[in-house]
Structure formats: structure tokens, C-alpha cells
Amino acid sequence: MRERMVIGNWKMNPPTIADAVELARSVADRIPAGVLVGVAPAAVALPAVSDALRDTNLDVYAQDVHWEERGAFTGQIAASMLRGLATGAIVGHSEVRRDQCDDDARVAKKLARTVTAGLRPILCVGESAAEHEAGNASVVIVRQIAADLAEAPRRGLQRLVVAYEPIWAIGTGNPATGEWATLEVRAIRAALKHAGLDAEAIPILYGGSVSARSVAEFAAADGIDGALVGGASLDPDEFAAIVRAFG
Ligand code: 13P
């Protein structure tokens, strides 16, 4: 049986580190047992949030890592710097791909660095609106999976998590349907299998405008094991409701 998992990606929120700590505590107070739950605060808030959550069952994830071990990379975070602060890292989020011009070659190196550093990776893939409208979603996703897995040692991918995040659904209030996400998640599992991984054991999350209102169809969908939640993860009551849907 696969793990069920809900991760809150806080992106560039909330406004201060003190607010991040308060949000983390409010979320921890509301989380039921039985589902793996994590939050991904901004890098600068990781020490304070991980400290605040030390004796709770909430995990902490980084939103990104650099692919190199160390060196002249101004503004970047090395995987080793996350030791003791995070159990894992989001890799390949479409907003990082967009804002830092990350292509699949870079994402592949980031994924490799994440797993060799002993962090649990949440690899994000998903098609753009144009690719979606052109009917190319599955082709794009399958290509991303193959390219993004190219560098990581297979042994390190035993704890891989994949998030299907169609770009057109992120932050739009317009989630995919459970039916659509099921089809794409099936394509992702086939690509994982093709890459030589035990696809049936790998949790796949859906992300893109998940809310307390929209979560039910994803929680009920065949093959979807959880959610990667953006905006709605900033409201502890709504986030807890999303977690309960996967409980
Ligand atoms: P929203 O839930 O705000 O659409 O964001 C989804 C996302 O990008 C999570 O990583």
C-alpha cells in the first residue's frame, strides 16, 4: 500500500519568519494521524519552522535546492545546508523552472543532488496551457519524467514522490478534474516503470488549485495518493480539511 501524503507549498508566503512559525504551529495543532503531512516554507524560514515543529508529526521540506555541492552560486542553497532542517525538497516546481530558467537537464541534476544528500524528493511535472490545449499533456509529462530522472542513482529514488501539477491549474482557482488527473497520473506511472522504477510503490500527488471544496474528487481518484497544495495551505483550517480528505 502506498503512502498518502499532503504537502503545503507556502511559496513566497507568509510575509515574515514569525508569521511562518505561527502558521506552522497552527497547522501542527490541526493535523490528524494517518497521513504524511509536510510544509515547505521559504528557505529563510526553514530553521525557525523546523525548530517549531521538532516535536510534532509535521515534516519540513525545502522548496528548491541547487545542483552543485557548493561554490560560487550567489543566492542558492546547497542540499547539505538543509541537513537537520528539512526531510526533503521540492524539485522542478514550474515556478522555479519559469523564474530560474530551469530546464529538465538542471532539474535532473537537482534531483540527483537531492537524493545523494539523503533528502526525500518531490519531483514536479506538468504541462502548460498551450501544451494542454494542443493535446500534448501526456507526451510532455512522460518526456519530463524521463529527462528529470536521467541523473539520479536508481537506489536513491526509492523514496521518490512525484507531483502532477498542470501549470494551467496552478493558482487559477481552476483545478483539473479527478478524471483528467487520473489519466495523467497513469501516464506518469507508466513513465516511472519505463525508467526502471517500482512505479506502484511511488506516491503521486496532484497539485493545482486544490482546496477544501475541490479535494474530494482527487482523494477518491484511482492512483492519486495525496496533494501538493499552494494557496489553500496558508489557511490552517482549510489545509487540515484537505489532509482529512486523504485520511
Ligand atoms: P495552488 O494550490 O495555489 O494552485 O498552487 C499549487 C502549487 O503550485 C503547489 O506546488
Side-chain angles (χ1 to χ4, degrees), residues 50-73:
S50 98
D51 225 37
L53 296 179
R54 210 158 292 284
D55 296 319
T56 72
N57 48 13
L58 255 188
D59 289 326
V60 178
Y61 283 77
Q63 294 179 9
D64 190 23
V65 289
H66 197 268
W67 59 85
E68 291 293 345
E69 206 157 10
R70 63 200 81 257
F73 301 100

Side-chain angles (χ1 to χ4, degrees), residues 64-70 73 77-79 89-92 97 101-119 121 123 144-154 157:
D64 190 23
V65 289
H66 197 268
W67 59 85
E68 291 293 345
E69 206 157 10
R70 63 200 81 257
F73 301 100
I77 313 259
I90 298 171
V91 176
R97 292 181 193 247
C101 304
D102 274 9
D103 56 10
D104 286 313
R106 281 191 187 177
V107 173
K109 288 194 282 181
K110 287 183 170 185
L111 182 64
R113 181 64 63 197
T114 301
V115 302
T116 51
L119 294 164
L123 171 65
Q144 282 178 330
I145 291 282
D148 296 348
L149 294 179
E151 304 269 345
R154 288 294 173 269
L157 290 173

